[in-house]
Amino acid sequence: MRRADRLFEIVQALRGGRLLTAQAIADQLEVSKRTIYRDLAHLQGCGVPIEGEARVGYLLSSDYHMPPLTFTADEVTALVLGARMVQTWASEDLAKGAAEALVKIDAVIPAGMRSLINETQLYALSFRTGERERGLLDELRRASRDRHYLDLDYISLEGKSSARRVRPLGLYFWGQVWTLLAWCELREGFRSFRVDHIEALRMCEAHFPHEPGKELKDFVALRKQQQPQADEKLRGGH
């Protein structure tokens, strides 16, 4: 990799307020850590506002602006496939957003690469996600984003009905089904609910508070301590 290209990749890696160590950047670019230290010093000497220090990490000032990005053929293909997957499997609002994103991608990539938008032979087919489920996904996503309690009428895989008040924390896609990860007020613990098994939901006006032990990050930390076999239980729903 030419040094000019490497300097560009370093700036790209530090965009978005991400704190990265020199070792992490070196691993990503497959060069030595000493090389990254020299490159960082060169960029700082050229006026690029990179902040940080060795063994702590580096980040790029949020007010630094770069020229419009250019994409490689593989990057365009990945964006097109991702947008098609969202159009196929995600909610109605996100499907519309993916379609608009493709239009914007087409507008900014070089003319010689625009054929990749329509000629990419990668598709995402769906025979499972119905219109009702896609509508539920939008409601669940909004409730999670705005931290509204939800009242659910839910049917388990065993056919048992229950009414739950939950704190929606996130949505997970397993390749065939969507599940809602939530803190269940009834069970006083994290629970997973298959979206296609939700009979009805009502978004409450009340907002649930930030509470240690009941947040998505707490679930992630807990999952790291558990055995991988628990994924099968999570996919099935409770």
Side-chain angles (χ1 to χ4, degrees):
M1 180 185 292
R2 296 181 308 162
R3 190 188 190 200
D5 293 333
R6 190 173 66 246
L7 294 174
F8 177 79
E9 292 297 333
I10 290 173
V11 174
Q12 289 291 92
L14 294 173
R15 294 184 69 179
R18 293 182 296 176
L19 183 69
L20 294 177
T21 63
Q23 186 63 62
I25 301 172
D27 292 342
Q28 180 178 330
L29 300 183
E30 298 180 346
V31 296
S32 70
K33 185 166 62 172
R34 180 175 296 179
T35 297
I36 297 300
Y37 282 136
R38 287 200 300 265
D39 288 344
L40 288 168
H42 177 77
L43 287 167
Q44 289 171 324
C46 292
V48 179
I50 295 174
E51 304 170 357
E53 58 183 271
R55 294 183 294 277
V56 175
Y58 297 86
L59 56 80
L60 188 64
S61 175
S62 60
D63 59 0
Y64 181 69
H65 299 287
M66 291 184 61
L69 295 180
T70 57
F71 297 105
T72 66
D74 284 346
E75 289 170 344
V76 172
T77 300
L79 291 170
V80 172
L81 176 60
R84 288 176 176 175
M85 293 177 70
V86 170
Q87 287 178 296
T88 300
W89 290 99
S91 66
E92 294 177 354
D93 286 351
L94 289 182
K96 294 176 183 176
E100 290 298 321
L102 284 177
V103 172
K104 293 179 180 179
I105 292 170
D106 181 72
V108 299
I109 62 176
M113 300 179 67
R114 286 176 183 163
S115 61
L116 292 173
I117 299 288
N118 296 319
E119 295 178 5
T120 298
Q121 289 86 12
L122 297 173
Y123 301 93
L125 302 179
S126 172
F127 302 98
R128 296 180 62 94
T129 308
E131 292 303 313
R132 177 183 176 276
E133 186 177 348
R134 290 165 76 96
L136 287 178
L137 287 172
D138 278 329
E139 293 187 67
L140 293 170
R141 184 170 62 88
R142 285 192 290 269
S144 176
R145 178 193 63 200
D146 299 333
R147 300 180 69 87
H148 283 281
Y149 283 104
L150 286 175
D151 288 333
L152 303 181
D153 293 335
Y154 187 73
I155 300 180
S156 69
L157 293 181
E158 295 77 26
K160 297 180 180 178
S161 299
S162 63
R164 309 287 188 96
R165 172 158 290 194
V166 303
R167 306 180 184 199
L169 302 175
L171 289 159
Y172 286 78
F173 181 58
W174 298 89
Q176 292 185 330
V177 297
W178 281 93
T179 58
L180 169 69
L181 188 280
W183 175 269
C184 179
E185 299 292 303
L186 177 65
R187 304 301 185 195
E188 296 186 343
F190 295 110
R191 291 295 185 272
S192 171
F193 301 91
R194 279 184 52 158
V195 174
D196 58 341
H197 280 237
I198 296 176
E199 278 197 307
L201 67 84
R202 293 166 295 281
M203 188 184 302
C204 304
E205 291 186 8
H207 297 267
F208 56 90
H210 292 276
E211 190 170 350
K214 300 181 180 181
E215 302 291 336
L216 182 58
K217 63 180 180 181
D218 300 310
F219 170 77
V220 173
L222 181 64
R223 291 290 299 123
K224 289 181 178 179
Q225 300 174 7
Q226 296 176 337
Q227 297 180 353
Q229 291 86 343
D231 283 340
E232 288 301 319
K233 186 176 182 182
L234 185 65
R235 273 194 286 269
H238 297 274

